[in-house]
Amino acid sequence: MSTNTVVPLRRRSNGNHTNGEAFNGMENIVKKPDDCYTNGNGGVERSKASFLTWTMRDAVYVARYHWIPCFFAVGVLFFMGVEYTLQMVPAKSEPFDIGFVATRSLNRVLASSPDLNTLLAALNTVFVAMQTTYIVWTWLMEGRPRATISACFMFTCRGILGYSTQLPLPQDFLGSGVDFPVGNVSFFLFYSGHVAGSMIASLDMRRMQRLRLAMLFDILNILQSIRLLGTRGHYTIDLAVGVGAGILFDSLAGKYEEMMSKRHNLANGFSLISKDSLVN
């Protein structure tokens, strides 16, 4: 009968000494027999709660090799304090947005230079066209529909959320007739389709090892985000969630491809073309 149990975020021991390699917390550690007991069903269970086996060396190890979750754990405690002490924005006032605060000077420059605002809007629209062209190209020309499926998922969910909770357009919004959506029409604020679409394209480029092109898109995405804050075209939360949405829907599209490939037993992977068409 095996006595192996999974102990997360612990040092890996070989019996005599601690292995100095970083441990991802998902491997099995053989526990001593006195740490386990056999239940009535013949299974093996722990006789101690996990935290009772922790040592100071474990704490040091976690802090050293798992500093990222430790950092976010400290962030949880910090923002718990902030949330309980922060005075909320009054109901009749404009929403507070730290990105708007950081781009006040850019907003003033664009407000005083309509031609510059129009130029940047036009360049941003060109970037959106680049995203769209790449995403559609991967499907129509390369036969890889994942990015296109991801974009369909993303924009549909964006429409549902944007309609469900309609945020007020900032008072300092600087529109342009050449901005996307072209014509300076109304649009959903939450979440940013500009940013999410860029992420979807960038992630696909990385899968295909088009690393320089992906880096270029990431840089343009950052510049686009700064402009959107400067023109008050999006709140900061729209941009942050746009990044997460791009990653999320790319992952969901990948899972959809995997599911459909298994269901239809496609030897050559997922395709939006029927098997009969592939044979012909």
Side-chain angles (χ1 to χ4, degrees), residues 87-264:
Q87 293 295 319
M88 297 301 291
V89 176
K92 294 184 179 181
S93 66
E94 277 283 287
F96 171 80
D97 191 296
I98 194 170
F100 287 8
V101 174
T103 57
R104 281 174 178 168
S105 58
L106 177 59
N107 179 260
R108 288 194 294 265
V109 170
L110 295 178
S112 61
S113 305
D115 292 339
L116 177 60
N117 182 40
T118 299
L119 174 62
L120 294 180
L123 292 175
N124 205 155
T125 299
V126 170
F127 180 47
V128 173
M130 291 167 58
Q131 302 169 28
T132 305
T133 300
Y134 179 84
I135 290 173
V136 176
W137 177 277
T138 60
W139 171 35
L140 297 181
M141 304 304 293
E142 299 181 2
R144 297 185 301 104
R146 177 168 173 172
T148 306
I149 295 172
S150 177
C152 290
F153 288 173
M154 182 272 290
F155 278 108
T156 299
C157 289
R158 175 180 179 270
I160 294 172
L161 293 176
Y163 181 81
S164 299
T165 301
Q166 299 172 32
L167 301 175
L169 193 65
Q171 292 182 359
D172 297 333
F173 172 66
L174 302 174
S176 171
V178 296
D179 204 354
F180 184 84
V182 177
N184 199 21
V185 297
S186 60
F187 55 92
F188 294 131
L189 288 169
F190 188 86
Y191 43 83
S192 173
H194 289 75
V195 171
S198 302
M199 283 300 303
I200 290 172
S202 175
L203 290 169
D204 185 87
M205 293 169 185
R206 282 180 163 75
R207 274 193 300 274
M208 301 304 295
Q209 296 300 308
R210 298 164 178 168
L211 301 182
R212 292 186 178 180
L213 188 57
M215 184 176 297
L216 173 63
F217 263 59
D218 289 340
I219 293 173
L220 293 176
N221 201 4
I222 293 173
L223 295 176
Q224 156 179 264
S225 298
I226 295 173
R227 188 196 76 87
L228 288 170
L229 288 173
T231 61
R232 307 305 190 240
H234 272 296
Y235 293 106
T236 301
I237 192 173
D238 305 331
L239 306 177
V241 175
V243 174
I247 297 172
L248 170 64
F249 290 111
D250 176 78
S251 175
L252 291 178
K255 292 183 183 300
Y256 176 78
E257 283 189 336
E258 181 180 355
M259 177 185 69
M260 297 306 293
S261 294
K262 291 179 179 178
R263 178 175 298 180
H264 296 285

Side-chain angles (χ1 to χ4, degrees), residues 29-50:
I29 296 178
V30 177
K31 303 299 295 179
K32 297 179 181 179
D34 58 357
D35 283 339
C36 305
Y37 69 92
T38 303
N39 59 24
N41 298 324
V44 177
E45 297 184 5
R46 295 283 303 279
S47 60
K48 294 181 180 179
S50 178

Side-chain angles (χ1 to χ4, degrees), residues 17-67:
H17 62 278
T18 300
N19 192 328
E21 297 179 0
F23 174 41
N24 64 11
M26 297 304 293
E27 296 185 14
N28 290 345
I29 296 178
V30 177
K31 303 299 295 179
K32 297 179 181 179
D34 58 357
D35 283 339
C36 305
Y37 69 92
T38 303
N39 59 24
N41 298 324
V44 177
E45 297 184 5
R46 295 283 303 279
S47 60
K48 294 181 180 179
S50 178
F51 74 92
L52 294 178
T53 66
W54 298 351
T55 67
M56 183 58 66
R57 295 182 66 184
D58 291 328
V60 172
Y61 184 88
V62 170
R64 180 179 179 184
Y65 290 105
H66 299 282
W67 60 269

